[in-house]
Amino acid sequence: MKKRILAGFALIGAMALAATGCASGAGGGTASGGGGGKVITVGFAQTGSESGWRSANTESMKDAFSAKNGFKLIFNAADNKPENQIAAVRSFINQGVDAIVIAPVVTTGWDDVLKEAKDAGIPVVLEDRTIDGSSDLYKAWIGDDFKKEGETAGAWAATNLGSKATNMVVLEGTTGSAPAIDRATGFDDAIKGTQIKTLDSQTGNFTRADGKTVMEGFLQKYGKTINLLFAQNDDMGLGALDAIKAAGLTPGKDIQIITIDATHDGLQAAANGEFNYVVECNPLLGPTVADTVKAILAGKDVPKAQTATDASFTPEQAKAALPDRKY
Ligand code: AHR
């Protein structure tokens, strides 16, 4: 049966992996050390380098899959092109790595290459994003609950703006990616029955540059009628700030802005009063992924899904959180 793992049912990794002797929760901790055994070769197929969140995630993965922790990491960034990513996974299989970790650019198109990995006896772990496909084809997923992030963002909009006529534009993430799909579903569910109307919704590919360009288009088309922007990540929201200011409008006041990720730059925009609400998506998944790979290769049972815990921030909360922000 084909079914995408939904993040909500997951166990927190600390509980399950503690039982295997590897302690860390999804989104925190440090990967356990090498222990003097054989070096574990892991191929990591990253999406690309589209956002601040992605940079933090890549750093977390590289730190956790370090030589000090007993790994040799073969890293590939696919420039957000699904075909590049599938080619990278095939190359990992051909190189005979011990395990493969994938942050899938999009949810579809995975069956053939995952079957090839399974036939080669190479375990696959998904990190960050989920896929549509049989869950038999991978051992575990570690990431954030994108639908819940969208719901949290939408609940803020419903509470603060839902009882008056509000015109919203949306900057979507990469088309076909799990966060773009699930955040939209969660947000739309949360604003059902309110007076928030979606004027337009287009992809900004999770990048600042595209966030700016698409927002410029929205402003040309809808001008001052826009009251609310939901940007599915901080970077697109940050790009949109330039477009909004260039149009002579004040972000956070003329147009209220909600974003997701809560990177340092996103929280700084909230602390400056330019973002009104920011929902966290924790990128520090490396230690849990590394411990999970080690447990799988040691023949231990691992949870099928481990979900990081995410907070959310008003401007005041962002100000308080900034000094200790790790990404
Ligand atoms: O998959 C997580 C998303 O991908 C982050 O929200 C976004 O910034 C990134 O590029």
Short mmCIF file of all heavy atoms in Angstrom, two decimals, residues 44-110:
data_model
loop_
_atom_site.label_atom_id
_atom_site.label_comp_id
_atom_site.label_asym_id
_atom_site.label_seq_id
_atom_site.Cartn_x
_atom_site.Cartn_y
_atom_site.Cartn_z
N PHE A 44 24.89 10.99 1.54
CA PHE A 44 23.79 11.87 1.92
C PHE A 44 23.37 12.71 0.70
O PHE A 44 24.15 13.51 0.18
CB PHE A 44 24.20 12.79 3.07
CG PHE A 44 23.17 13.83 3.43
CD1 PHE A 44 21.80 13.56 3.38
CD2 PHE A 44 23.56 15.11 3.84
CE1 PHE A 44 20.85 14.52 3.72
CE2 PHE A 44 22.62 16.07 4.18
CZ PHE A 44 21.26 15.78 4.11
N ALA A 45 22.12 12.49 0.26
CA ALA A 45 21.57 13.23 -0.88
C ALA A 45 20.74 14.39 -0.35
O ALA A 45 19.56 14.23 -0.01
CB ALA A 45 20.73 12.30 -1.75
N GLN A 46 21.37 15.57 -0.27
CA GLN A 46 20.71 16.78 0.23
C GLN A 46 19.93 17.43 -0.92
O GLN A 46 20.26 17.24 -2.11
CB GLN A 46 21.80 17.72 0.80
CG GLN A 46 21.35 19.05 1.33
CD GLN A 46 20.35 18.96 2.50
OE1 GLN A 46 19.20 18.56 2.27
NE2 GLN A 46 20.76 19.35 3.69
N THR A 47 18.91 18.25 -0.58
CA THR A 47 18.11 18.91 -1.64
C THR A 47 18.95 19.88 -2.45
O THR A 47 18.88 19.91 -3.68
CB THR A 47 16.95 19.73 -1.03
OG1 THR A 47 17.49 20.69 -0.14
CG2 THR A 47 15.96 18.86 -0.30
N GLY A 48 19.69 20.74 -1.75
CA GLY A 48 20.45 21.81 -2.41
C GLY A 48 20.89 22.79 -1.35
O GLY A 48 21.19 22.38 -0.22
N SER A 49 20.90 24.07 -1.69
CA SER A 49 21.30 25.09 -0.70
C SER A 49 20.39 26.30 -0.85
O SER A 49 20.85 27.42 -0.97
CB SER A 49 22.76 25.46 -0.90
OG SER A 49 22.99 25.79 -2.26
N GLU A 50 19.08 26.02 -0.84
CA GLU A 50 18.10 27.06 -1.17
C GLU A 50 17.85 28.08 -0.05
O GLU A 50 17.37 29.17 -0.33
CB GLU A 50 16.78 26.39 -1.59
CG GLU A 50 16.00 25.65 -0.49
CD GLU A 50 16.51 24.23 -0.21
OE1 GLU A 50 17.50 23.81 -0.83
OE2 GLU A 50 15.91 23.55 0.65
N SER A 51 18.15 27.72 1.20
CA SER A 51 17.69 28.58 2.31
C SER A 51 18.65 28.55 3.49
O SER A 51 19.53 27.69 3.57
CB SER A 51 16.32 28.05 2.79
OG SER A 51 16.47 26.76 3.34
N GLY A 52 18.42 29.48 4.42
CA GLY A 52 19.19 29.47 5.67
C GLY A 52 18.93 28.20 6.45
O GLY A 52 19.85 27.65 7.09
N TRP A 53 17.69 27.74 6.43
CA TRP A 53 17.34 26.48 7.10
C TRP A 53 18.21 25.35 6.54
O TRP A 53 18.76 24.53 7.28
CB TRP A 53 15.86 26.16 6.87
CG TRP A 53 15.33 25.00 7.65
CD1 TRP A 53 14.62 25.06 8.80
CD2 TRP A 53 15.48 23.60 7.34
NE1 TRP A 53 14.30 23.79 9.24
CE2 TRP A 53 14.81 22.87 8.36
CE3 TRP A 53 16.09 22.88 6.32
CZ2 TRP A 53 14.75 21.48 8.38
CZ3 TRP A 53 16.03 21.49 6.34
CH2 TRP A 53 15.36 20.80 7.37
N ARG A 54 18.33 25.32 5.21
CA ARG A 54 19.07 24.22 4.58
C ARG A 54 20.55 24.27 4.97
O ARG A 54 21.16 23.22 5.20
CB ARG A 54 18.90 24.33 3.05
CG ARG A 54 19.40 23.13 2.26
CD ARG A 54 18.72 21.83 2.61
NE ARG A 54 17.28 21.89 2.45
CZ ARG A 54 16.44 20.97 2.93
NH1 ARG A 54 16.89 19.91 3.57
NH2 ARG A 54 15.14 21.11 2.78
N SER A 55 21.12 25.47 5.05
CA SER A 55 22.53 25.58 5.46
C SER A 55 22.71 25.00 6.86
O SER A 55 23.67 24.26 7.12
CB SER A 55 22.99 27.04 5.50
OG SER A 55 22.75 27.64 4.27
N ALA A 56 21.77 25.33 7.76
CA ALA A 56 21.87 24.83 9.14
C ALA A 56 21.71 23.31 9.17
O ALA A 56 22.40 22.61 9.92
CB ALA A 56 20.80 25.49 10.01
N ASN A 57 20.83 22.79 8.34
CA ASN A 57 20.60 21.34 8.29
C ASN A 57 21.84 20.63 7.75
O ASN A 57 22.28 19.60 8.30
CB ASN A 57 19.36 21.05 7.42
CG ASN A 57 19.08 19.57 7.28
OD1 ASN A 57 19.21 19.00 6.20
ND2 ASN A 57 18.71 18.91 8.38
N THR A 58 22.44 21.18 6.69
CA THR A 58 23.65 20.57 6.12
C THR A 58 24.77 20.55 7.16
O THR A 58 25.47 19.54 7.32
CB THR A 58 24.08 21.35 4.85
OG1 THR A 58 23.07 21.17 3.86
CG2 THR A 58 25.41 20.86 4.31
N GLU A 59 24.92 21.67 7.88
CA GLU A 59 25.98 21.75 8.89
C GLU A 59 25.75 20.71 9.99
O GLU A 59 26.68 20.02 10.43
CB GLU A 59 25.99 23.15 9.48
CG GLU A 59 27.30 23.49 10.15
CD GLU A 59 27.25 24.89 10.76
OE1 GLU A 59 26.70 25.82 10.13
OE2 GLU A 59 27.74 25.01 11.90
N SER A 60 24.49 20.59 10.42
CA SER A 60 24.15 19.61 11.47
C SER A 60 24.48 18.19 11.00
O SER A 60 25.02 17.37 11.75
CB SER A 60 22.65 19.75 11.81
OG SER A 60 22.23 18.71 12.63
N MET A 61 24.16 17.90 9.74
CA MET A 61 24.43 16.56 9.20
C MET A 61 25.93 16.31 9.08
O MET A 61 26.43 15.24 9.45
CB MET A 61 23.75 16.40 7.84
CG MET A 61 22.23 16.36 7.91
SD MET A 61 21.62 14.82 8.65
CE MET A 61 21.91 13.68 7.30
N LYS A 62 26.66 17.31 8.57
CA LYS A 62 28.11 17.12 8.41
C LYS A 62 28.80 16.95 9.76
O LYS A 62 29.71 16.15 9.91
CB LYS A 62 28.71 18.29 7.62
CG LYS A 62 28.38 18.23 6.14
CD LYS A 62 29.07 19.34 5.36
CE LYS A 62 28.86 19.13 3.86
NZ LYS A 62 29.37 20.24 3.05
N ASP A 63 28.34 17.70 10.76
CA ASP A 63 28.92 17.57 12.10
C ASP A 63 28.66 16.17 12.67
O ASP A 63 29.53 15.55 13.27
CB ASP A 63 28.29 18.58 13.07
CG ASP A 63 28.85 19.97 12.88
OD1 ASP A 63 29.81 20.11 12.09
OD2 ASP A 63 28.31 20.90 13.50
N ALA A 64 27.42 15.70 12.50
CA ALA A 64 27.05 14.40 13.09
C ALA A 64 27.72 13.24 12.36
O ALA A 64 28.12 12.25 12.98
CB ALA A 64 25.53 14.25 13.07
N PHE A 65 27.83 13.36 11.02
CA PHE A 65 28.44 12.27 10.23
C PHE A 65 29.94 12.56 10.04
O PHE A 65 30.47 12.45 8.94
CB PHE A 65 27.72 12.12 8.89
CG PHE A 65 26.39 11.45 9.02
CD1 PHE A 65 25.23 12.19 9.20
CD2 PHE A 65 26.28 10.06 8.99
CE1 PHE A 65 23.99 11.59 9.35
CE2 PHE A 65 25.05 9.44 9.14
CZ PHE A 65 23.90 10.20 9.32
N SER A 66 30.61 12.93 11.12
CA SER A 66 32.03 13.30 11.04
C SER A 66 32.92 12.06 11.23
O SER A 66 32.46 11.01 11.72
CB SER A 66 32.34 14.30 12.15
OG SER A 66 32.11 13.67 13.40
N ALA A 67 34.18 12.22 10.88
CA ALA A 67 35.16 11.14 11.09
C ALA A 67 35.27 10.84 12.58
O ALA A 67 35.39 9.68 13.00
CB ALA A 67 36.50 11.57 10.52
N LYS A 68 35.17 11.90 13.40
CA LYS A 68 35.26 11.73 14.86
C LYS A 68 34.16 10.80 15.37
O LYS A 68 34.35 10.06 16.34
CB LYS A 68 35.16 13.14 15.47
CG LYS A 68 34.87 13.27 16.93
CD LYS A 68 35.07 14.72 17.39
CE LYS A 68 33.95 15.65 17.13
NZ LYS A 68 32.63 15.57 17.53
N ASN A 69 33.02 10.83 14.70
CA ASN A 69 31.90 9.97 15.11
C ASN A 69 31.91 8.62 14.39
O ASN A 69 30.93 7.86 14.47
CB ASN A 69 30.56 10.68 14.87
CG ASN A 69 30.34 11.82 15.86
OD1 ASN A 69 30.93 11.82 16.93
ND2 ASN A 69 29.52 12.77 15.50
N GLY A 70 32.95 8.35 13.62
CA GLY A 70 33.09 7.02 13.00
C GLY A 70 32.54 6.93 11.59
O GLY A 70 32.35 5.83 11.07
N PHE A 71 32.32 8.09 10.92
CA PHE A 71 31.72 8.06 9.58
C PHE A 71 32.67 8.59 8.51
O PHE A 71 33.51 9.45 8.78
CB PHE A 71 30.48 8.96 9.54
CG PHE A 71 29.32 8.45 10.36
CD1 PHE A 71 29.07 8.99 11.62
CD2 PHE A 71 28.50 7.45 9.88
CE1 PHE A 71 28.01 8.53 12.38
CE2 PHE A 71 27.43 6.99 10.64
CZ PHE A 71 27.17 7.53 11.89
N LYS A 72 32.42 8.10 7.27
CA LYS A 72 32.94 8.79 6.09
C LYS A 72 31.69 9.25 5.34
O LYS A 72 30.86 8.40 4.94
CB LYS A 72 33.76 7.84 5.23
CG LYS A 72 34.25 8.49 3.97
CD LYS A 72 35.00 7.53 3.08
CE LYS A 72 35.26 8.20 1.74
NZ LYS A 72 35.50 7.21 0.70
N LEU A 73 31.52 10.56 5.18
CA LEU A 73 30.30 11.08 4.54
C LEU A 73 30.58 11.44 3.09
O LEU A 73 31.53 12.18 2.80
CB LEU A 73 29.81 12.33 5.29
CG LEU A 73 28.51 12.93 4.76
CD1 LEU A 73 27.33 12.00 5.02
CD2 LEU A 73 28.25 14.31 5.39
N ILE A 74 29.74 10.91 2.19
CA ILE A 74 29.79 11.35 0.78
C ILE A 74 28.58 12.25 0.59
O ILE A 74 27.43 11.79 0.67
CB ILE A 74 29.74 10.15 -0.19
CG1 ILE A 74 30.80 9.12 0.19
CG2 ILE A 74 29.94 10.64 -1.62
CD1 ILE A 74 30.72 7.84 -0.65
N PHE A 75 28.84 13.54 0.40
CA PHE A 75 27.77 14.54 0.39
C PHE A 75 27.44 14.97 -1.04
O PHE A 75 28.33 15.22 -1.84
CB PHE A 75 28.22 15.78 1.19
CG PHE A 75 27.22 16.90 1.20
CD1 PHE A 75 26.13 16.87 2.05
CD2 PHE A 75 27.36 17.98 0.34
CE1 PHE A 75 25.20 17.90 2.06
CE2 PHE A 75 26.45 19.01 0.35
CZ PHE A 75 25.36 18.98 1.21
N ASN A 76 26.14 15.03 -1.33
CA ASN A 76 25.71 15.57 -2.63
C ASN A 76 24.56 16.53 -2.42
O ASN A 76 23.59 16.21 -1.73
CB ASN A 76 25.26 14.44 -3.57
CG ASN A 76 24.80 14.99 -4.92
OD1 ASN A 76 23.66 15.40 -5.08
ND2 ASN A 76 25.70 15.04 -5.86
N ALA A 77 24.65 17.72 -3.01
CA ALA A 77 23.53 18.68 -3.01
C ALA A 77 22.97 18.73 -4.42
O ALA A 77 23.71 18.96 -5.38
CB ALA A 77 24.00 20.05 -2.56
N ALA A 78 21.65 18.50 -4.56
CA ALA A 78 21.06 18.25 -5.89
C ALA A 78 20.56 19.51 -6.59
O ALA A 78 19.90 19.40 -7.62
CB ALA A 78 19.93 17.24 -5.75
N ASP A 79 20.84 20.68 -6.04
CA ASP A 79 20.36 21.92 -6.65
C ASP A 79 18.82 21.89 -6.84
O ASP A 79 18.29 22.45 -7.79
CB ASP A 79 21.07 22.14 -8.00
CG ASP A 79 20.99 23.59 -8.45
OD1 ASP A 79 20.70 24.45 -7.61
OD2 ASP A 79 21.18 23.84 -9.66
N ASN A 80 18.16 21.21 -5.93
CA ASN A 80 16.69 21.10 -5.94
C ASN A 80 16.13 20.48 -7.21
O ASN A 80 14.98 20.74 -7.58
CB ASN A 80 16.05 22.45 -5.63
CG ASN A 80 16.10 22.69 -4.14
OD1 ASN A 80 15.35 22.08 -3.39
ND2 ASN A 80 17.04 23.51 -3.69
N LYS A 81 16.94 19.67 -7.88
CA LYS A 81 16.48 18.99 -9.09
C LYS A 81 16.31 17.51 -8.76
O LYS A 81 17.29 16.81 -8.48
CB LYS A 81 17.49 19.17 -10.22
CG LYS A 81 17.64 20.62 -10.67
CD LYS A 81 18.42 20.69 -11.98
CE LYS A 81 18.42 22.08 -12.55
NZ LYS A 81 19.34 23.00 -11.88
N PRO A 82 15.05 17.01 -8.82
CA PRO A 82 14.82 15.60 -8.46
C PRO A 82 15.69 14.64 -9.25
O PRO A 82 16.19 13.65 -8.71
CB PRO A 82 13.33 15.40 -8.78
CG PRO A 82 12.73 16.77 -8.69
CD PRO A 82 13.81 17.73 -9.12
N GLU A 83 15.91 14.94 -10.54
CA GLU A 83 16.70 14.01 -11.36
C GLU A 83 18.15 13.96 -10.89
O GLU A 83 18.78 12.90 -10.90
CB GLU A 83 16.59 14.35 -12.87
CG GLU A 83 17.14 15.69 -13.31
CD GLU A 83 16.19 16.89 -13.09
OE1 GLU A 83 15.20 16.76 -12.33
OE2 GLU A 83 16.47 17.96 -13.66
N ASN A 84 18.69 15.10 -10.43
CA ASN A 84 20.07 15.10 -9.89
C ASN A 84 20.12 14.24 -8.63
O ASN A 84 21.09 13.51 -8.38
CB ASN A 84 20.49 16.51 -9.47
CG ASN A 84 20.71 17.43 -10.65
OD1 ASN A 84 20.54 17.01 -11.79
ND2 ASN A 84 21.09 18.67 -10.37
N GLN A 85 19.07 14.34 -7.83
CA GLN A 85 19.08 13.64 -6.55
C GLN A 85 19.00 12.13 -6.75
O GLN A 85 19.72 11.36 -6.09
CB GLN A 85 17.92 14.14 -5.69
CG GLN A 85 18.12 13.84 -4.23
CD GLN A 85 17.10 14.51 -3.35
OE1 GLN A 85 15.92 14.60 -3.70
NE2 GLN A 85 17.52 14.94 -2.17
N ILE A 86 18.16 11.72 -7.70
CA ILE A 86 18.05 10.28 -7.96
C ILE A 86 19.38 9.76 -8.53
O ILE A 86 19.85 8.67 -8.15
CB ILE A 86 16.85 10.00 -8.89
CG1 ILE A 86 15.57 10.15 -8.04
CG2 ILE A 86 16.92 8.62 -9.53
CD1 ILE A 86 14.28 10.15 -8.79
N ALA A 87 20.02 10.56 -9.39
CA ALA A 87 21.34 10.15 -9.92
C ALA A 87 22.35 10.02 -8.78
O ALA A 87 23.18 9.08 -8.77
CB ALA A 87 21.82 11.15 -10.96
N ALA A 88 22.29 10.92 -7.81
CA ALA A 88 23.23 10.85 -6.67
C ALA A 88 23.00 9.56 -5.88
O ALA A 88 23.96 8.88 -5.49
CB ALA A 88 23.06 12.07 -5.77
N VAL A 89 21.74 9.22 -5.66
CA VAL A 89 21.44 7.99 -4.89
C VAL A 89 21.96 6.77 -5.66
O VAL A 89 22.57 5.85 -5.08
CB VAL A 89 19.93 7.88 -4.58
CG1 VAL A 89 19.60 6.55 -3.93
CG2 VAL A 89 19.50 9.04 -3.66
N ARG A 90 21.76 6.76 -7.00
CA ARG A 90 22.28 5.63 -7.81
C ARG A 90 23.79 5.54 -7.69
O ARG A 90 24.36 4.45 -7.60
CB ARG A 90 21.91 5.82 -9.29
CG ARG A 90 20.49 5.50 -9.57
CD ARG A 90 20.23 4.79 -10.91
NE ARG A 90 18.87 4.28 -10.84
CZ ARG A 90 17.80 4.97 -11.24
NH1 ARG A 90 17.91 6.15 -11.79
NH2 ARG A 90 16.60 4.44 -11.09
N SER A 91 24.43 6.69 -7.68
CA SER A 91 25.89 6.66 -7.57
C SER A 91 26.32 6.14 -6.20
O SER A 91 27.30 5.37 -6.09
CB SER A 91 26.43 8.06 -7.88
OG SER A 91 27.44 8.42 -7.02
N PHE A 92 25.57 6.48 -5.14
CA PHE A 92 25.89 5.92 -3.81
C PHE A 92 25.75 4.38 -3.83
O PHE A 92 26.57 3.67 -3.25
CB PHE A 92 24.96 6.47 -2.73
CG PHE A 92 25.05 7.96 -2.49
CD1 PHE A 92 23.95 8.67 -2.02
CD2 PHE A 92 26.24 8.65 -2.72
CE1 PHE A 92 24.02 10.03 -1.78
CE2 PHE A 92 26.32 10.03 -2.49
CZ PHE A 92 25.21 10.72 -2.02
N ILE A 93 24.70 3.90 -4.51
CA ILE A 93 24.49 2.44 -4.57
C ILE A 93 25.69 1.80 -5.30
O ILE A 93 26.26 0.81 -4.84
CB ILE A 93 23.17 2.10 -5.31
CG1 ILE A 93 21.97 2.65 -4.52
CG2 ILE A 93 23.02 0.59 -5.52
CD1 ILE A 93 20.63 2.61 -5.27
N ASN A 94 26.09 2.42 -6.43
CA ASN A 94 27.21 1.88 -7.21
C ASN A 94 28.52 1.88 -6.42
O ASN A 94 29.37 1.01 -6.60
CB ASN A 94 27.41 2.66 -8.52
CG ASN A 94 26.26 2.39 -9.47
OD1 ASN A 94 25.61 1.33 -9.38
ND2 ASN A 94 25.96 3.34 -10.35
N GLN A 95 28.65 2.87 -5.53
CA GLN A 95 29.87 2.94 -4.72
C GLN A 95 29.84 1.97 -3.54
O GLN A 95 30.81 1.84 -2.80
CB GLN A 95 30.05 4.37 -4.17
CG GLN A 95 30.43 5.38 -5.26
CD GLN A 95 30.44 6.80 -4.71
OE1 GLN A 95 31.28 7.14 -3.90
NE2 GLN A 95 29.49 7.62 -5.14
N GLY A 96 28.69 1.32 -3.32
CA GLY A 96 28.59 0.32 -2.25
C GLY A 96 28.68 0.91 -0.86
O GLY A 96 29.30 0.33 0.04
N VAL A 97 28.04 2.08 -0.65
CA VAL A 97 28.06 2.69 0.69
C VAL A 97 27.36 1.77 1.70
O VAL A 97 26.60 0.87 1.32
CB VAL A 97 27.36 4.08 0.67
CG1 VAL A 97 28.10 5.06 -0.23
CG2 VAL A 97 25.90 3.95 0.25
N ASP A 98 27.58 2.05 2.98
CA ASP A 98 26.93 1.24 4.02
C ASP A 98 25.47 1.66 4.24
O ASP A 98 24.64 0.84 4.63
CB ASP A 98 27.69 1.38 5.34
CG ASP A 98 29.11 0.83 5.23
OD1 ASP A 98 29.25 -0.29 4.73
OD2 ASP A 98 30.06 1.55 5.61
N ALA A 99 25.19 2.95 4.06
CA ALA A 99 23.81 3.44 4.25
C ALA A 99 23.64 4.71 3.42
O ALA A 99 24.62 5.39 3.08
CB ALA A 99 23.54 3.75 5.72
N ILE A 100 22.37 5.00 3.10
CA ILE A 100 22.05 6.20 2.32
C ILE A 100 21.05 7.03 3.11
O ILE A 100 20.07 6.49 3.64
CB ILE A 100 21.46 5.83 0.93
CG1 ILE A 100 22.52 5.09 0.10
CG2 ILE A 100 20.95 7.06 0.19
CD1 ILE A 100 22.00 4.51 -1.21
N VAL A 101 21.31 8.35 3.17
CA VAL A 101 20.35 9.27 3.78
C VAL A 101 19.88 10.23 2.69
O VAL A 101 20.70 10.75 1.92
CB VAL A 101 20.98 10.06 4.95
CG1 VAL A 101 19.95 11.00 5.56
CG2 VAL A 101 21.54 9.11 6.01
N ILE A 102 18.57 10.45 2.64
CA ILE A 102 18.01 11.33 1.60
C ILE A 102 17.10 12.37 2.24
O ILE A 102 16.25 12.04 3.06
CB ILE A 102 17.17 10.52 0.57
CG1 ILE A 102 17.94 9.31 0.03
CG2 ILE A 102 16.71 11.41 -0.58
CD1 ILE A 102 17.09 8.35 -0.81
N ALA A 103 17.27 13.63 1.82
CA ALA A 103 16.29 14.69 2.13
C ALA A 103 15.57 14.93 0.80
O ALA A 103 16.02 15.73 -0.02
CB ALA A 103 17.01 15.95 2.60
N PRO A 104 14.46 14.24 0.56
CA PRO A 104 13.89 14.22 -0.80
C PRO A 104 13.39 15.59 -1.27
O PRO A 104 12.60 16.23 -0.57
CB PRO A 104 12.71 13.25 -0.68
CG PRO A 104 12.94 12.50 0.61
CD PRO A 104 13.67 13.44 1.51
N VAL A 105 13.83 16.01 -2.45
CA VAL A 105 13.38 17.30 -3.00
C VAL A 105 11.86 17.28 -3.14
O VAL A 105 11.17 18.19 -2.69
CB VAL A 105 14.04 17.57 -4.38
CG1 VAL A 105 13.46 18.85 -5.00
CG2 VAL A 105 15.55 17.68 -4.26
N VAL A 106 11.34 16.23 -3.78
CA VAL A 106 9.89 16.10 -3.97
C VAL A 106 9.42 14.75 -3.42
O VAL A 106 10.24 13.87 -3.14
CB VAL A 106 9.49 16.22 -5.47
CG1 VAL A 106 9.72 17.64 -5.98
CG2 VAL A 106 10.22 15.21 -6.33
N THR A 107 8.10 14.61 -3.29
CA THR A 107 7.57 13.40 -2.66
C THR A 107 7.49 12.21 -3.63
O THR A 107 7.43 11.07 -3.18
CB THR A 107 6.15 13.65 -2.12
OG1 THR A 107 5.32 14.07 -3.20
CG2 THR A 107 6.13 14.70 -1.03
N THR A 108 7.49 12.50 -4.94
CA THR A 108 7.22 11.42 -5.91
C THR A 108 8.48 10.96 -6.65
O THR A 108 9.50 11.64 -6.64
CB THR A 108 6.20 11.92 -6.96
OG1 THR A 108 6.69 13.14 -7.51
CG2 THR A 108 4.83 12.13 -6.35
N GLY A 109 8.34 9.78 -7.29
CA GLY A 109 9.39 9.30 -8.20
C GLY A 109 10.46 8.45 -7.54
O GLY A 109 11.53 8.23 -8.12
N TRP A 110 10.18 7.96 -6.34
CA TRP A 110 11.23 7.29 -5.57
C TRP A 110 11.27 5.78 -5.67
O TRP A 110 12.26 5.15 -5.30
CB TRP A 110 11.12 7.71 -4.09
CG TRP A 110 11.57 9.10 -3.92
CD1 TRP A 110 10.80 10.22 -3.78
CD2 TRP A 110 12.93 9.56 -3.97
NE1 TRP A 110 11.58 11.34 -3.72
CE2 TRP A 110 12.89 10.96 -3.84
CE3 TRP A 110 14.16 8.93 -4.12
CZ2 TRP A 110 14.05 11.73 -3.85
CZ3 TRP A 110 15.31 9.69 -4.12
CH2 TRP A 110 15.25 11.07 -3.99
#
